Amino acid sequence: MPITVNYQSQIQIPEIGLSLWWRWLIATFGGFITSLFWIEIGERHDMSIIEGIIGGIAIATPQSIILKQYISQSRGWIFVTVLTWSLIGLSGLGAVGWFVPQTLEPFLRLFYGIINGAEIGLALGIAQSFILKRQIPHAQKWIWVSIISWAVGLGVGWAIGGVLRQFTRLFISDVVGLAVTWLIVGAMTGYGLMRLVCFLPVEINDYTR
């Protein structure tokens, strides 16, 4: 009979956590890059439920592959993520992960990015925590992880995009800014997930072969 122990008491974060963090970052950022094959970055009025659905699928699918190793309901992650992005696309916010503000003023972009990012993070965090809580203790903390990650990521990404566009006058600068957003979101949510997974029970045999 396998012996189970508390993950945190036996396995140090650097031992497997860094691997989880890298894979989550690549999955999240790679999902954004993949979504650009179908979604054209635009301004708020250009984004709709269609972009929300496509973007949600592109992001959630590779993430669910990573989660499959830790939870049995990883397919549910795809469903709630796509549903949330769809509802966001229908709302006044629009598919925030794929549009940029009209203003180029960095401070205004930072301000509204933090606000809009926190709203997106709250919606995604609540929906996704319902999937995580089935098997991961303290999954409610994911809501705060999502809020902070999106507030920081969107605010910084929009601001960087605005600064670059003022210098280059090229719209591609905003795409770079959104790429920074998804890198930050991927890095921060990956770290948060890593910390949550540290409370999962594991079999000693899995790590002592």
Side-chain angles (χ1 to χ4, degrees):
M1 180 177 180
I3 301 174
T4 59
V5 293
N6 184 275
Y7 189 103
Q8 194 173 30
S9 64
Q10 295 292 327
I11 309 300
Q12 298 300 314
I13 290 177
E15 188 171 343
I16 70 164
L18 186 59
S19 173
L20 169 59
W21 181 80
W22 270 111
R23 286 182 290 127
W24 184 263
L25 175 60
I26 292 172
T28 303
F29 185 69
F32 168 70
I33 297 299
T34 301
S35 72
L36 297 183
F37 286 98
W38 297 281
I39 301 177
E40 182 178 355
I41 302 299
E43 295 178 345
R44 186 186 300 267
H45 62 274
D46 298 322
M47 301 291 104
S48 67
I49 185 174
I50 302 301
E51 284 77 12
I53 293 174
I54 295 173
I57 293 173
I59 299 297
T61 301
Q63 287 181 340
S64 70
I65 295 174
I66 306 301
L67 285 173
K68 188 176 181 180
Q69 303 173 53
Y70 306 100
I71 62 175
S72 61
Q73 303 294 327
S74 59
R75 291 182 180 178
W77 180 271
I78 300 177
F79 174 76
V80 299
T81 301
V82 172
L83 177 62
T84 304
W85 275 116
S86 301
L87 294 176
I88 292 171
L90 281 174
S91 71
L93 284 174
V96 172
W98 292 269
F99 78 66
V100 294
Q102 291 180 328
T103 179
L104 298 182
E105 174 55 46
F107 291 106
L108 284 178
R109 282 189 167 213
L110 177 64
F111 176 74
Y112 287 112
I114 291 173
I115 294 176
N116 289 170
E119 293 172 331
I120 297 300
L122 176 62
L124 287 170
I126 291 175
Q128 292 168 345
S129 67
F130 281 105
I131 302 301
L132 296 179
K133 74 177 184 179
R134 297 181 181 183
Q135 291 175 264
I136 297 182
H138 313 291
Q140 69 276 6
K141 293 181 180 179
W142 180 256
I143 298 174
W144 286 107
V145 170
S146 183
I147 292 173
I148 296 171
S149 299
W150 271 100
V152 173
L154 195 63
V156 172
W158 275 1
I160 289 176
V163 171
L164 292 177
R165 194 169 172 186
Q166 285 182 348
F167 279 102
T168 66
R169 300 299 176 184
L170 298 174
F171 189 77
I172 190 66
S173 300
D174 271 322
V175 178
V176 173
L178 283 177
V180 171
T181 290
W182 283 100
L183 277 174
I184 293 174
V185 170
M188 294 184 68
T189 55
Y191 179 78
L193 180 64
M194 180 181 72
R195 297 295 299 183
L196 288 175
V197 167
C198 284
F199 292 96
L200 286 177
V202 297
E203 296 181 5
I204 290 179
N205 292 338
D206 290 344
Y207 295 95
T208 56
R209 293 173 182 173

